[in-house]
Amino acid sequence: MNHTQSTNEYDVAVIGGGLLGSSIAWGLGRLGQRTCVLDEGDVTKRASRANFALVWVQSKGLGLPEYTGWTVRASETWSKLSDEIKAQTGIDVCHQRPGGFHLALSEKELEDRRLSLRRLHNQPGATDYKIEILDHDEVKKQLPHIGPDVVGGTYCPLDGHVNSLRYLRAIHSALKTSGVDYRPEHRVSTIEHRNGEFKISTEQGEIRAGKVVLAAGNANMTLAHMVGLKAPMSPTRGQILVTERTVPFLGFPLTTIRQTDEGTVMIGDSREEFIDDTVQNLPINAVMADRARRMFPLLNQLNIVRTWSGIRVMPKDGFPIYDQSETCPGAFVTCCHSGVTLAPNHAFDIAPMIAKGNLDLERVGAFSARRFDQIQVQSSGYY
Amino acid sequence: MFKRATNHQEPAVQITVDGLPVTARRGDTVSAAILTAGCVEPYRYTAVNGTPRAPYCMMGVCFDCLVTIDGIGNRQGCLIPVSDGMVITRQNGKREIES
Amino acid sequence: MSFPESLHAAYDVIVIGAGPAGLAAAATTAEAGLRTLLVDENSAPGGQIYRAITTSPLKNSSILGKDYEAGNDLVHTFEKSGADRLAGCTVWSLDRERVVGLSCGGEARLIKAERVIIATGAMERPFPIPGWTLPGVMTIGAGQTLLKSSGLIPSGRLALAGQGPLLWLYAAQILRAGGHIAAIFDTTPLANYISAAPHLPGFVFSPYWIKGLGLIREVKRVVKIVTGVTRLEAQGKNKLQTLVWEAGSRTGSIDLDVLMLHQGVVPHVNLAMAAGIKHEWDDIQLCFRPVLDESGNSSIKGIMIAGDGAGIGGAESAAERGRLAAIDTVANLRPDALAQIPSRDNVRNRLAQTMRGRAFLDHLYRPSKVFRIPQDASTIVCRCEEITAGEIRASIAIGATGPNQLKAYRRTGMGPCQGRLCGLTVTELMADERGKSPEEIGYYRLRSPVKPISLAELASIPQDETAIKAVVRG
């Protein structure tokens, strides 16, 4: 047991041990901050165990052009993150960036996609991310196994994917070697700001820290107001199907289908208001399977070995929230749907800002929760 | 690995395993037929690390009996009875799929 | 196999599993006039205990024994009952509304029932010793299945290791069938003889007493027995070659072609857990079992569990528990037909008789910790994903508190067997390592499909507008 655990005192306490909280905590540890991560136990809502593992750019940012630039930056720094993590832990998280596809199964789907991408592109201050709109034959050159129902699709060279479960293990291993205390079974009930310090009550006693970072996913909703912040969330449920391992046949990730480095094929995804993650919905699973086989008829033969449903961490307008408290200086709130895609930004950009005690508003000011005081634009349905 | 304990009265069933002709008996599962034929070892190689395996539970729970039967991969050989003309192929690593 | 045209779109009762509990339950509800469907994964009825009872090539009872023949009565009664039977059909899903997902001949269907009786029985407890994944190492249950259904016995040098009634029964059957056993390695902890002793009186008055002693004597006359075994390691390059053993201070090794392992059976919980039924840790039988009322009603209304899946009690008690579940079903769905079936009191009395002696067996054959929680770091725990005990302990060190975070870190339980061969080991290993109880550690969160089905089958399930809207978006 090291000294920080025995005193329960830290420079920074990060609440939430998923991909977001862990990436920030690792970034803080890298800067020499005495940091702990307070997490829940084995069974809880864990989006970091239920994500689709895309490092995804295309279609992101409609309604908030700064989000496009922020995402492109993450896509460009992911390899730096995976290299550093591998050097530190020996774990290869298999980050690949071959570009990614979105496929349309009808002319209407393709037209809807085209329109939404045009609106995205025409936003003032939009970052160009080199998206191409392709017809069936052009898609087939890169994805030879597509079926006749595929009318076309979009391709973005900046897209990629990663083994996100292995990243979860790698980042938790890296926390350990960096001297960051990962403390599971420390569910937080209250946070108080007193005498320039945060007193955090957990199921295993009180933790004190100079700064506190809320990274508890949808639970930020209830934690934020304890430190003068807000985090309006609107969680949705998503379901995923996973096949048995098969030989590699899919060289690119798609918005809803990807083959993992292990050989399994993941098939997504639904968006549902019903947020019980303990049950499946078979008609929805059937639609997912049906669309997948229309995209790649060879999938018909593969066995589905597992399914899961998870609850998306979803700020009300779909965009990340990074904010700091005016009434409780040193308290920060961070939440976003794309904990995988944005991991390098959280480790390399957000963590240093927190270490300094101030968010750099030039860079992340657009993601303040103050935007919820204004009128909203709904983001695209695919994330 | 196995032999017949009794003078088997059941009718013979002809199958092939990796192209080799194998005589099984009606009532045998695919796994029982392979374990008795002895012509093919090991039974399979895993999809994860390529290690050799053979059926472990024979009741459908361990999935170490997976084989390709009539072109369909990853089938549980311990649950499927043999039938005449069945073409069985051992699996070496991940399942292959045809386009 | 494929779905017969006579199959109805809905049933009063669907019984899952054609072992003693399922056969007895389905026969009883059908006799009461309830529209009943019995679904089973195997091509012939009998479950594991009466495996191949109607098709075994071993025609007379001299090899398998008289107890096995009892399965014939159950099958005959069932066949006369008028219940429908779907053989070679896999149940891959069961939800809280009692919709059962079936797969048969590459086709999937959903069928709803007023009542579902899960009778999926037991499976052998994992026996994770070093080398247990080598070809040539299998379970005693596997050996017995090959004997019953195909009349097969091992052809090379065979040893049995472990403990429990099945070990002695199979050993006797192999000998009667003309087989040879090089040695038996008995892992029963010597301390168990003391902890079981207080339960001996109940056992002495059970039929197992005479039968069990007789079997053990029959085997001991001709087979070398090593007792008090404390370590086993299977070695070999691409297949089993040698078994290295320790029994306290004694050690040895033996060259083998086949090693069969067995340390008791545990409820096969996957379907029940995936349906969301509440389970609890049983510290005597060292396994999770469903929380049930006296009739077998689970925490989900309309779903019952009977037989060894409800907690290990053996074949005879399984049949009685199947009948009890059926009587409760009839009492709810067609009370006027209760007179046509056995009375609850009679069945309860017979059940009590069959449970006599169980406590003694549970205590005597409670497996040793060293064979439940692998001590060697290199021992594989998750056979599907090839994850070792050492890797699991390392995962605990970086923060895994239970099986589900471990699964995320290391993929344990994510393979096709869905934790059946590693779940209990993982729970007990994590409990031991973290100083917690298995109940606190918990189990994998399971979901359908509980057995793999093809994507084409899943895609064939009826879709609706809401479902399409949840997936297709711009």
Side-chain angles (χ1 to χ4, degrees):
Chain A
M1 190 172 281
N2 63 35
H3 69 284
T4 52
Q5 266 190 326
S6 54
T7 62
N8 285 335
E9 277 181 29
Y10 297 91
D11 295 333
V12 191
V14 177
I15 301 175
L19 296 180
L20 176 59
S22 300
S23 299
I24 291 175
W26 178 75
L28 289 165
R30 225 168 138 254
L31 300 169
Q33 300 273 303
R34 286 193 306 133
T35 305
C36 69
V37 176
L38 305 177
D39 202 357
E40 293 189 58
D42 192 49
V43 177
T44 180
K45 307 275 181 264
R46 286 189 181 279
S48 295
R49 295 198 305 225
N51 58 73
F52 200 62
L54 296 175
V55 176
W56 210 245
V57 176
Q58 64 169 292
S59 79
K60 282 184 177 165
L62 185 58
L64 189 67
E66 291 86 348
Y67 183 37
T68 311
W70 184 242
T71 300
V72 169
R73 177 182 170 75
S75 141
E76 281 162 354
T77 36
W78 236 108
S79 57
K80 177 184 175 210
L81 176 63
S82 66
D83 288 350
E84 274 203 36
I85 292 289
K86 188 173 180 183
Q88 193 180 354
T89 64
I91 299 171
D92 182 357
V93 300
C94 276
H95 170 246
Q96 298 169 63
R97 199 197 190 203
F101 284 86
H102 176 88
L103 298 186
L105 287 173
S106 70
E107 290 297 342
K108 179 174 184 307
E109 282 181 34
L110 190 60
E111 186 54 26
D112 287 351
R113 184 73 171 174
R114 191 182 284 132
L115 283 176
S116 96
L117 290 173
R118 186 176 304 147
R119 280 161 55 214
L120 183 59
H121 182 78
N122 291 343
Q123 292 186 118
T127 312
D128 179 18
Y129 50 80
K130 304 175 190 79
I131 199 150
E132 295 168 50
I133 296 175
L134 309 169
D135 65 19
H136 175 93
D137 292 344
E138 289 165 325
V139 172
K140 200 172 172 76
K141 276 181 206 147
Q142 299 298 321
L143 302 173
H145 298 293
I146 55 167
D149 287 359
V150 175
V151 299
T154 55
Y155 171 76
C156 171
L158 307 185
D159 290 334
H161 58 158
V162 67
N163 188 318
S164 59
L165 290 181
R166 208 175 300 143
Y167 177 68
L168 183 66
R169 169 161 64 98
I171 196 80
H172 283 182
S173 303
L175 291 179
K176 183 130 190 126
T177 50
S178 302
V180 173
D181 285 343
Y182 173 71
R183 302 179 74 165
E185 297 175 340
H186 277 69
R187 186 190 166 90
V188 171
S189 50
T190 60
I191 311 168
E192 280 181 79
H193 186 235
R194 251 188 286 145
N195 309 325
E197 167 181 77
F198 293 93
K199 297 182 194 306
I200 303 163
S201 305
T202 78
E203 58 190 303
Q204 295 193 46
E206 187 178 85
I207 305 287
R208 293 200 299 267
K211 294 179 194 130
V212 64
V213 180
L214 309 184
N218 292 310
N220 277 353
M221 261 188 294
T222 48
L223 294 173
H225 72 89
M226 297 178 191
V227 288
L229 287 163
K230 60 181 165 191
M233 308 294 289
S234 110
T236 57
R237 186 174 84 151
Q239 297 183 68
I240 289 182
L241 316 173
V242 190
T243 72
E244 61 203 354
R245 284 174 160 91
T246 187
V247 293
F249 76 97
L250 186 57
F252 299 86
L254 278 65
T255 24
T256 57
I257 303 177
R258 70 182 201 95
Q259 187 169 24
T260 67
D261 58 291
E262 285 127 352
T264 60
V265 182
M266 287 174 52
I267 296 165
D269 67 345
S270 60
R271 188 176 61 170
E272 307 155 57
E273 304 300 320
F274 178 76
I275 53 170
D276 178 354
D277 67 349
T278 63
V279 293
Q280 298 299 119
N281 179 308
L282 289 177
I284 290 176
N285 291 168
V287 176
M288 290 158 57
D290 189 33
R291 286 179 64 83
R293 69 174 174 174
R294 287 171 65 202
M295 291 179 187
F296 297 99
L298 49 65
L299 290 176
N300 259 319
Q301 313 158 46
L302 283 183
N303 286 315
I304 300 295
V305 172
R306 292 183 295 124
T307 62
W308 75 71
S309 62
I311 306 305
R312 283 190 191 83
V313 175
M314 189 59 77
K316 257 215 154 67
D317 59 359
F319 305 119
I321 299 170
Y322 307 115
D323 218 338
Q324 55 198 12
S325 174
E326 284 171 10
T327 53
C328 305
F332 299 85
V333 63
T334 58
C335 30
C336 71
H337 170 251
S338 298
V340 178
T341 300
L342 298 176
N345 295 7
H346 298 146
F348 299 133
D349 296 329
I350 297 291
M353 295 179 202
I354 290 167
K356 264 198 282 177
N358 261 306
L359 295 180
D360 179 349
L361 298 183
E362 287 274 300
R363 297 172 62 201
V364 298
F367 303 114
S368 160
R370 266 166 298 204
R371 68 178 186 268
F372 292 103
D373 305 336
Q374 300 154 20
I375 298 161
Q376 289 316 301
V377 178
Q378 199 60 40
S379 71
S380 152
Y382 290 97
Y383 309 107
Chain B
M1 236 161 100
F2 283 81
K3 62 183 181 192
R4 299 202 187 269
T6 54
N7 206 350
H8 215 297
Q9 303 297 308
E10 301 294 327
V13 175
Q14 298 297 331
I15 61 172
T16 64
V17 181
D18 280 4
L20 300 169
V22 167
T23 303
R25 292 281 164 180
R26 195 169 71 194
D28 284 352
T29 58
V30 168
S31 297
I34 297 176
L35 291 173
T36 317
C39 58
V40 277
E41 280 189 3
Y43 186 99
R44 74 172 189 121
Y45 292 95
T46 63
V48 178
N49 292 328
T51 50
R53 291 280 175 89
Y56 177 75
C57 78
M58 288 302 293
M59 59 167 282
V61 296
C62 80
F63 291 79
D64 261 325
C65 64
L66 298 177
V67 284
T68 298
I69 300 176
D70 293 334
I72 302 174
N74 278 354
R75 302 201 68 194
Q76 289 186 274
C78 80
L79 292 177
I80 299 170
V82 290
S83 60
D84 254 321
M86 210 174 231
V87 176
I88 294 156
T89 323
R90 284 185 300 161
Q91 291 187 187
N92 186 352
K94 294 186 184 81
R95 177 172 172 190
E96 312 219 354
I97 45 173
E98 287 158 24
S99 50
Chain C
M1 313 257 174
S2 57
F3 288 108
E5 292 205 359
S6 58
L7 195 68
H8 296 288
Y11 280 84
D12 295 326
V13 188
I14 293 180
V15 180
I16 302 165
L23 286 167
T28 308
T29 56
E31 278 162 12
L34 292 172
R35 182 174 281 181
T36 303
L37 174 67
L38 175 65
V39 189
D40 191 56
E41 194 167 37
N42 282 299
S43 49
Q48 304 310 324
I49 193 84
Y50 303 126
R51 162 78 78 150
I53 184 73
T54 56
T55 58
S56 178
L58 304 177
K59 297 295 182 207
N60 67 54
S61 62
S62 63
I63 292 175
L64 296 176
K66 284 231 165 4
D67 285 348
Y68 177 70
E69 298 299 319
N72 276 319
D73 294 341
L74 281 169
V75 173
H76 290 151
T77 308
F78 167 79
E79 281 172 348
K80 281 187 304 190
S81 73
D84 289 347
R85 182 168 80 96
L86 257 185
C89 176
T90 298
V91 173
W92 52 271
S93 170
L94 170 63
D95 69 17
R96 294 170 194 176
E97 279 71 50
R98 300 173 311 281
V99 174
V100 182
L102 303 169
S103 165
C104 193
E107 192 193 330
R109 260 192 221 181
L110 302 180
I111 298 187
K112 189 173 163 114
E114 291 301 310
R115 280 262 175 154
V116 171
I117 301 175
I118 299 176
T120 49
M123 43 173 254
E124 289 172 279
R125 178 189 298 282
F127 206 136
I129 59 166
W132 70 311
T133 55
L134 284 169
V137 181
M138 61 190 349
T139 69
I140 288 180
Q144 204 195 35
T145 291
L146 288 164
L147 179 68
K148 287 172 181 169
S149 56
S150 289
L152 296 176
I153 56 174
S155 54
R157 279 175 66 82
L158 165 72
L160 308 183
Q163 60 192 49
L166 180 64
L167 182 149
W168 299 105
L169 175 61
Y170 178 68
Q173 290 169 337
I174 281 291
L175 297 174
R176 293 173 202 157
H180 180 77
I181 302 169
I184 289 176
F185 298 91
D186 186 341
T187 59
T188 313
L190 299 177
N192 283 11
Y193 290 94
I194 296 160
S195 61
H199 305 281
L200 186 59
F203 186 66
V204 171
F205 291 106
S206 79
Y208 306 118
W209 169 248
I210 301 293
K211 273 188 274 187
L213 282 182
L215 280 175
I216 293 173
R217 262 200 304 268
E218 181 182 345
V219 173
K220 281 189 173 172
R221 269 202 301 271
V222 279
V223 181
K224 177 192 161 187
I225 316 284
V226 179
T227 56
V229 172
T230 48
R231 186 170 186 276
L232 294 165
E233 177 171 348
Q235 296 177 346
K237 195 160 157 35
N238 287 316
K239 60 177 182 177
L240 172 70
Q241 280 156 343
T242 308
L243 174 69
V244 178
W245 57 269
E246 290 173 18
S249 57
R250 293 169 295 152
T251 61
S253 72
I254 179 171
D255 286 347
L256 292 174
D257 297 295
V258 180
L259 168 66
M260 289 183 186
L261 302 171
H262 178 82
Q263 51 179 350
V265 296
V266 294
H268 185 179
V269 294
N270 282 55
L271 181 66
M273 278 197 182
I277 288 166
K278 188 173 161 26
H279 284 65
E280 65 188 2
W281 179 256
D282 180 330
D283 209 46
I284 300 300
Q285 295 192 343
L286 297 167
C287 57
F288 286 100
R289 61 172 161 73
V291 177
L292 303 170
D293 74 4
E294 196 214 20
S295 299
N297 286 293
S298 75
S299 61
I300 297 179
K301 194 171 180 303
I303 303 184
M304 313 186 76
I305 305 180
D308 273 0
I312 303 306
E316 289 172 41
S317 100
E320 302 304 346
R321 286 188 287 174
R323 287 184 191 108
L324 265 190
I327 291 165
D328 187 78
T329 301
V330 173
N332 276 273
L333 301 183
R334 184 166 290 187
D336 54 319
L338 276 174
Q340 299 162 37
I341 56 174
S343 81
R344 211 187 288 247
D345 286 345
N346 278 346
V347 175
R348 270 199 208 120
N349 288 341
R350 287 206 301 269
L351 177 60
Q353 279 170 24
T354 63
M355 292 302 281
R356 226 185 258 161
R358 176 56 44 183
F360 176 79
L361 291 173
D362 284 346
H363 283 86
L364 181 62
Y365 291 127
R366 199 165 180 265
S368 157
K369 183 176 158 183
V370 296
F371 292 113
R372 304 190 328 262
I373 302 170
Q375 308 298 307
D376 305 69
S378 63
T379 303
I380 284 180
V381 172
C382 170
R383 296 172 63 99
C384 293
E385 296 293 330
E386 304 186 43
I387 301 302
T388 64
E391 288 165 332
I392 294 172
R393 291 194 171 95
S395 299
I396 297 168
I398 64 161
T401 57
N404 295 291
Q405 190 78 342
L406 175 69
K407 190 171 169 183
Y409 283 165
R410 300 300 330 207
R411 300 183 58 83
T412 50
M414 282 195 186
C417 100
Q418 304 193 344
R420 288 171 173 89
L421 274 284
C422 70
L424 284 176
T425 313
V426 161
T427 295
E428 287 211 88
L429 191 156
M430 294 190 93
D432 185 53
E433 193 75 7
R434 299 195 60 224
K436 304 256 179 189
S437 70
E439 179 75 38
E440 288 171 296
I441 294 293
Y443 198 75
Y444 294 129
R445 180 187 275 184
L446 301 174
R447 297 177 190 276
S448 69
V450 297
K451 299 279 299 249
I453 57 164
S454 74
L455 182 118
E457 287 175 276
L458 188 56
S460 74
I461 297 296
Q463 306 176 7
D464 56 49
E465 269 310 302
T466 323
I468 293 168
K469 274 205 188 118
V471 181
V472 185
R473 45 195 201 271

